[in-house]
Amino acid sequence: MPDTTATEQRLAAPSHASAPMGPNSPRPSRGRHREPRISPDSRIRRPLRSIRRPRPGPPKLWRGHLPTTVPQWLRLLRGATLGASALVVIALVVTGLFARSSWSDIRNHSAPQITSATGLYFTLNDMDAQLANQLMFGTNPELADDRATAAHVYNQRRSQAGVYLRDLSVAAQGDPVAEASVAQAIADFGSYEEGASHALLLGKQKGYAAGRTDPATLAGYRSTTELMRTRLLPEADQLVTANNIAFNTTYSTTTDNLSSARIAVLAAGLLLVAVLLALQLFLALRFRRLVNPALAAAVLIAFGVSIAASVQISDQQDHLHVARRDAYDSVVALTRARAVAYDANADESRYLLDQPNAAEHEQHFFEKTQQLMNLPGATIHTYDARAATAMNAYRADNGDLRFTGFFGDEFRNITFRGERAAAEEVVARYQVYEKDDRKIRALAASGDVTAAIAYCVSYKPGDSNWAFGQLDTALQKIIGINTGAYEKASSEGAGSALSGALGLAGGAVLVAALAVVGLRRPLAEFPTTG
């Protein structure tokens, strides 16, 4: 019989113990189904499309905000155009208002304050000169008319000084430093008037001949003129300097702010041009229309407004430069020169009035001479020859300027028609006056003080006061040239400051209107689209 035990054992043996299975042979099951194992290599070789991820959409911040239709894009660009146009209008109007305000401050505050301060400085100098003249003439009958003229001019200058002090006091309100300076000048002016009245009263009571001043009268005059020289004139000069610095500050600030305004206006204008070009390009791509006439005109106008605005602001800066640097710098220098010239003329009277201190007054005269036309190394005895040499060199070559001082400041700032000839005329008449001064001193040194006084105060052609009058006329002429140039530049600048800006702002409004008109037809093609 067959061995049943062995047969059963073979049937119960595991399947892998049997003959090798082919690659396609099914594997026997052990009662439950198992998923086939996948090797790492088989994972790598799986198709790439099975691991692709969807493309990211727009950021959440912009979802629902970006235009999705052509009409929406057109309306967005139209709004951007209107916004840029409004920005240009605002920049232009603000710039115009600022420029007009600056001109108003210059014309109504800065320049008038300098005029009042220099006017005060001039009238104080001439007041003291006329006081010295009245005391110098004594009671000589032949000098009675000169004494009356000096008294009249003294009273006239005193009234003018009061007006200038009042104007400066009003202008200084709100500025504690300026208020204190003006208040001190007013107090010192009152003290000077009191001392001058006392000296004149003493002179009238003592009754002395010309050139022989009574000691008590002379002592009263010395204390009075010392107050003028050491306190009043420095205070007036300080007011000139302070107001001139304030004017310079206003000028510099306005010029710098206008430069910033020009950048802002140009930026706004170029932004408007860029938006219009973007709108034109969008229409060309979407509607196959190369040029939209209204938008093309808007681009040209916007570009023109930007350039014109830059030019207009530059013109404002040019007007400021002419008014301040070219004109008013000379006005200040020449007005101070005129005041110093009057003070020097008064030193001649003091020289004859106060003989014991003649050397001191001569030195003061020469110091003022150098303030007017400074010739380094010159003395009162070599000054005339040095001045002649310097002017001959200048006439041969206008770049060869060998002197400084107030006249030097003017010669370095010659700008306007006729100004050079007027400046040369001032120096020519000044040279004549200086030579007359030497004659006065020669007469006094010879002992003929009466003749020196008569020559000093005479207005006959060829005499000293006639020569001084010629110098004063020449100074007023050149001051008038520069004052007229200042008035012209400031008037033109103030007149166009806001009107020009408003005109250009109107151009920007026209650009906005053309943009609206240019988009009406494209938007009309989408009557029901939002």
Side-chain angles (χ1 to χ4, degrees):
M1 287 182 65
D3 189 349
T4 58
T5 304
T7 302
E8 291 175 353
Q9 289 178 350
R10 285 196 302 273
L11 291 174
S15 59
H16 57 79
S18 60
M21 299 178 64
N24 297 324
S25 301
R27 294 181 179 273
S29 175
R30 293 192 177 183
R32 62 179 182 177
H33 178 72
R34 291 185 180 181
E35 291 290 332
R37 294 181 180 179
I38 302 174
S39 68
D41 291 339
S42 65
R43 290 195 194 101
I44 293 174
R45 290 192 295 268
R46 295 180 70 177
L48 291 177
R49 65 176 177 272
S50 63
I51 60 174
R52 284 182 181 172
R53 292 174 183 166
R55 295 179 181 178
K60 291 183 179 181
L61 180 65
W62 294 99
R63 291 176 185 174
H65 295 284
L66 286 175
T68 57
T69 65
V70 171
Q72 289 177 350
W73 274 109
L74 291 176
R75 292 188 180 97
L76 176 64
L77 290 172
R78 182 180 63 185
T81 302
L82 296 178
S85 298
L87 193 61
V88 171
V89 170
I90 292 171
L92 287 169
V93 172
V94 169
T95 300
L97 290 172
F98 169 75
R100 187 179 69 168
S101 174
S102 297
W103 279 117
S104 177
D105 180 61
I106 289 171
R107 287 161 60 85
N108 300 323
H109 184 73
S110 298
Q113 277 192 271
I114 294 179
T115 300
S116 296
T118 53
L120 176 65
Y121 189 68
F122 166 77
T123 54
L124 290 176
N125 273 304
D126 200 29
M127 270 184 70
D128 203 49
Q130 300 308 324
L131 174 61
N133 285 340
Q134 292 180 75
L135 296 174
M136 179 181 66
F137 294 143
T139 57
N140 289 33
E142 67 274 16
L143 297 175
D145 290 342
D146 293 319
R147 186 165 52 250
T149 300
H152 173 73
V153 175
Y154 174 85
N155 290 325
Q156 185 181 46
R157 298 305 189 206
R158 182 178 61 180
S159 299
Q160 291 172 344
V163 172
Y164 287 133
L165 285 169
R166 182 197 64 197
D167 292 343
L168 288 168
S169 178
V170 171
Q173 291 180 356
D175 184 343
V177 176
E179 286 181 346
S181 298
V182 175
Q184 185 62 55
I186 291 173
D188 289 339
F189 181 70
S191 298
Y192 176 84
E193 283 189 293
E194 183 179 351
S197 299
H198 179 66
L200 289 170
L201 179 61
L202 284 175
K204 187 176 181 180
Q205 290 174 346
K206 298 297 181 180
Y208 51 85
R212 301 179 183 277
T213 312
D214 173 73
T217 303
L218 191 57
Y221 171 73
R222 284 172 179 167
S223 63
T224 302
T225 195
E226 185 70 9
L227 174 63
M228 175 68 75
R229 188 176 65 84
T230 61
R231 295 178 63 176
L232 259 177
L233 288 179
E235 287 164 358
D237 191 56
Q238 183 181 6
L239 288 171
V240 174
T241 301
N243 285 290
N244 197 35
I245 290 173
F247 192 173
N248 274 328
T249 301
T250 300
Y251 163 77
S252 299
T253 302
T254 303
T255 301
D256 292 343
N257 287 341
L258 284 176
S259 295
S260 300
R262 181 171 55 244
I263 294 173
V265 170
L266 272 176
L270 293 177
L271 175 63
L272 177 58
V273 171
V275 172
L276 289 169
L277 289 175
L279 181 55
Q280 181 73 60
L281 180 62
F282 181 82
L283 291 175
L285 293 176
R286 289 289 184 175
F287 293 86
R288 302 293 188 269
R289 294 168 186 165
L290 188 59
V291 175
N292 183 303
L295 291 180
V299 170
L300 293 176
I301 294 173
F303 186 76
V305 166
S306 301
I307 299 302
S310 178
V311 172
Q312 201 260 349
I313 293 173
S314 295
D315 286 344
Q316 286 292 311
Q317 290 178 311
D318 289 342
H319 287 311
L320 278 169
H321 183 85
V322 171
R324 172 65 246 201
R325 292 287 172 249
D326 294 341
Y328 220 80
D329 277 358
S330 290
V331 170
V332 174
L334 292 167
T335 305
R336 296 177 83 172
R338 185 170 179 240
V340 170
Y342 269 79
D343 196 16
N345 197 43
D347 279 325
E348 288 183 336
S349 299
R350 297 180 189 113
Y351 172 85
L352 298 172
L353 170 67
D354 188 8
Q355 285 290 300
N357 294 323
E360 179 183 347
H361 295 305
E362 181 178 287
Q363 180 59 31
H364 289 162
F365 175 88
F366 185 66
E367 289 172 357
K368 294 176 180 70
T369 294
Q370 289 283 57
Q371 280 185 267
L372 293 171
M373 185 176 178
N374 184 26
L375 294 166
T379 67
I380 195 169
H381 304 293
T382 63
Y383 187 86
D384 296 338
R386 292 284 303 278
T389 301
M391 284 308 297
N392 288 335
Y394 176 79
R395 292 187 184 98
D397 177 10
N398 293 154
D400 186 5
L401 195 59
R402 302 181 183 182
F403 56 89
T404 55
F406 291 129
F407 291 168
D409 292 342
E410 167 55 20
F411 272 78
R412 288 174 174 82
N413 195 37
I414 289 175
T415 309
F416 309 109
R417 183 188 299 274
E419 189 176 2
R420 188 181 304 280
E424 291 181 11
E425 183 180 7
V426 166
V427 174
R429 295 186 177 185
Y430 173 68
Q431 289 175 283
V432 172
Y433 171 73
E434 285 287 327
K435 290 178 181 178
D436 287 346
D437 172 78
R438 311 302 179 258
K439 184 175 179 179
I440 292 171
R441 299 183 194 282
L443 287 171
S446 69
D448 196 350
V449 178
T450 303
I453 292 173
Y455 182 77
C456 176
V457 299
S458 174
Y459 286 93
K460 289 190 297 185
D463 287 354
S464 180
N465 255 6
W466 175 85
F468 183 78
Q470 294 293 301
L471 170 61
D472 191 45
T473 300
L475 279 169
Q476 291 185 69
K477 178 181 177 182
I478 195 170
I479 290 171
I481 290 173
N482 284 278
T483 301
Y486 161 78
E487 292 291 347
K488 183 175 183 292
S490 62
S491 177
E492 290 177 354
S496 62
L498 186 58
S499 60
L502 291 177
L504 293 172
V509 172
L510 178 60
V511 167
L514 287 171
V516 172
V517 171
L519 289 178
R520 288 182 62 184
R521 185 174 177 183
L523 285 171
E525 297 182 13
F526 303 92
T528 59
T529 306

